[in-house]
Amino acid sequence: MKVALARLPALATAALVLGGAGGWLGAAEPLVPAQLKEETVRLKDAPGRELTEGRCNICHSLDYIPSNAPAMNRAVWQKEVQKMRDRFGGPLTDEEARQILDYLDGNYSGKP
Amino acid sequence: MATRRELLLAATGGCLIGRVWASDGAGTVAQVEALAALPGKKPLIRRSFRPPNFETPLADLAAPLTDNGAFFVRYHLTVIPRIDPDSWRLQVSGASARRALTLSLAELRSGFEQVEVVAVNQCAGNRRGLFTPRVPGVQWGGGAMGNARWRGVRLREVLQRAGVAADALEVVFGGADAPVLPATPAFVKSLPVERALDESTLVAFEMNGRPLPHWNGAPARLVVPGWVGTYWMKHLASIRIEPRAFDGFWMKTAYRVPTGAFPGARFTSQETAETTPVTELLVNSLIVSPGSGARLSRGAHAELAGKAWDGGAGIEGVEVSVDGGQRWRDATLQRDLGRFAWREFRFVLDTSRAGRLDVAVRARSRNGAKQPDKLTPNPSGYHDNIVQAVSLEIA
């Protein structure tokens, strides 16, 4: 089974090597079993897509974005982006967060 | 053929009580539902690729015990190790433990009495995708749940082997899955010490007579009958007995409901004036067949079948209404598999008249609680146990 890492940033691959726990932790499952074809998730083509794809696929697949669209508006997206940075430790500058928010609100507020 | 959306719109137009579900049980979840199989699992409804979040299709919830291959899969974090059961070790320690223990799977199996419990494992967010107003999170339909026979040892005995000091307040559980970035909080959960010491709480290594599937927490997971799935720590790695309330993200920020909004056990060491952890399952039911939109032949025998469950008081009755909630009649309850299991029900439908039939189901717990008609709003979309309806066509 191949690890579908092609679209994951370098940060994500580093954590595949598991340490500690007395040595009983086996190799990690591939983050996404290749046959599931995560790469079929495509965000809408609009300004900000590449930045959003690059930052928002570090910790999870991009399908979290379209699937949540029906629950979203600008204010809720703003809270979510803040949560990804402040609670979960996502690397995002203020400027990047603003651009991503514009992209998300413009393309994924309401419709998947 | 009508699309699902059309069916749903048509159905909500005329139904007087309950929320009508779409034919596949996934309700109003707008997404195209892709079926996909994780290695070793059957095709399930994919809610996310990474981490893998997969729900059980309605058809696979028909059996009394949910097949291991079809059982739902829920992860928050993406680094999920394959664990060699022979070298796996469980660490038991903590400031309120008299001594630290390290247990192998063989020691766990042979050192304590093995016990079984049939229990519903339901994700706190089950049915979130049906919530109004919509709320963010994994957009589950109705299949983030299942009922299985769990075999393992009592957590209580493991804790007592370590020795529980008088000042113990919470027991804290860690699993072997991990975040991609170290800054993301590890998935760690705690239970009140009394719930951890309850005789029904298990460290389980078997599910329906087979070793736990990898994606359901091999080689050992916690089983907390009557409490939502978030406490059922998978790939269990560490247990700590502590004199203080655990303050990690997944306790103090996530998995919370407004204080006082819902019935069920309180988790007082984690409670604030505003919010409190989601704890016990509320009384609930699921119509398994016929699916909404089904056509029944006029005059032919037809039966409604489904499941009802609660947080462990047990199901006292299930009522069915075919007239928009004016009259309720008792369904027949099937075999009792224990108070933490779901209870199957059946109800013979009158198919003598052609036309539309709106059927609503309401379960009642032995503690007196009934399924409500209205959702209690909460920001994470938990505890959706409102009356469910299906719209059938007799022709």
Side-chain angles (χ1 to χ4, degrees), chain A residues 29 36 38 57 61 68 88, chain B residues 49-50 80 82 87 137 180 184:
Chain A
E29 273 295 317
L36 292 184
E38 177 185 341
N57 81 350
S61 43
N68 273 284
F88 293 145
Chain B
F49 283 98
R50 168 173 56 93
I80 304 167
R82 276 246 172 229
S87 47
V180 162
T184 307

Side-chain angles (χ1 to χ4, degrees), chain A residues 8 12 15 18 24-27 29 31-32 36-38 41 57-61 63-64 67-68 71 80 87-88, chain B residues 31 37 39 48-51 53 78-82 87-89 134-137 139 176 180-181 184-185 214-215 249:
Chain A
L8 296 178
L18 293 166
W24 54 260
L25 283 179
E29 273 295 317
L31 292 183
V32 193
L36 292 184
K37 300 207 186 307
E38 177 185 341
V41 186
N57 81 350
I58 298 174
C59 307
H60 51 69
S61 43
D63 47 3
Y64 273 77
S67 68
N68 273 284
E80 283 294 327
R87 300 285 188 185
F88 293 145
Chain B
Q31 248 178 311
S48 68
F49 283 98
R50 168 173 56 93
N53 284 302
T78 50
V79 182
I80 304 167
R82 276 246 172 229
S87 47
W88 172 85
R89 295 292 181 273
R134 299 289 296 261
V135 293
Q139 299 295 305
V180 162
L181 298 187
T184 307
H214 167 67
W215 302 105
F249 171 83

Side-chain angles (χ1 to χ4, degrees), chain B residues 107-327:
Chain B
E107 286 165 336
L108 204 60
R109 283 175 164 279
S110 62
F112 305 88
E113 186 190 357
Q114 291 195 18
V115 291
E116 286 187 344
V117 64
V118 179
V120 167
N121 177 15
Q122 182 185 227
C123 178
N126 193 33
R127 304 184 180 178
R128 180 184 290 120
L130 285 70
F131 227 76
T132 35
R134 299 289 296 261
V135 293
V138 176
Q139 299 295 305
W140 298 110
M145 69 172 307
N147 186 49
R149 184 183 304 279
W150 310 94
R151 185 182 184 85
V153 301
R154 291 187 189 88
L155 174 64
R156 176 166 76 184
E157 292 185 19
V158 175
L159 297 177
Q160 284 168 348
R161 178 88 44 102
V164 182
D167 67 352
L169 183 67
E170 291 187 3
V171 181
V172 183
F173 304 90
D177 45 326
V180 162
L181 298 187
T184 307
F187 188 66
V188 177
K189 296 293 293 187
S190 67
L191 283 172
V193 69
E194 317 82 64
R195 190 60 181 84
L197 290 171
D198 188 281
E199 66 159 358
S200 70
T201 309
L202 309 186
V203 177
F205 33 74
E206 279 179 25
M207 185 176 167
N208 298 325
R210 315 262 313 147
L212 285 173
H214 167 67
W215 302 105
N216 297 99
R221 76 176 299 169
L222 212 61
V223 164
V224 191
W227 283 44
V228 294
T230 185
Y231 298 100
W232 298 42
M233 183 61 66
K234 298 197 287 185
H235 313 295
L236 190 61
S238 70
I239 301 178
R240 287 185 290 123
I241 312 169
E242 297 290 349
R244 276 175 302 277
F246 175 68
D247 72 349
F249 171 83
W250 299 102
M251 288 308 300
K252 79 172 200 297
T253 309
Y255 286 107
R256 287 190 162 250
V257 291
T259 301
F262 295 101
R266 283 176 66 188
F267 194 156
T268 48
S269 55
Q270 291 284 343
E271 196 165 300
T272 70
E274 293 80 40
T275 67
T276 193
V278 54
T279 57
E280 284 179 314
L281 302 178
L282 301 187
V283 62
N284 211 342
S285 63
L286 177 72
I287 299 170
V288 175
S289 63
S292 206
R295 281 171 171 274
L296 308 178
S297 303
R298 187 173 170 190
H301 178 79
E303 250 182 10
L304 190 75
K307 324 279 175 175
W309 65 96
D310 73 347
I315 291 301
E316 183 182 80
V318 174
E319 300 163 306
V320 179
S321 173
V322 292
D323 60 5
Q326 291 172 41
R327 278 197 320 148

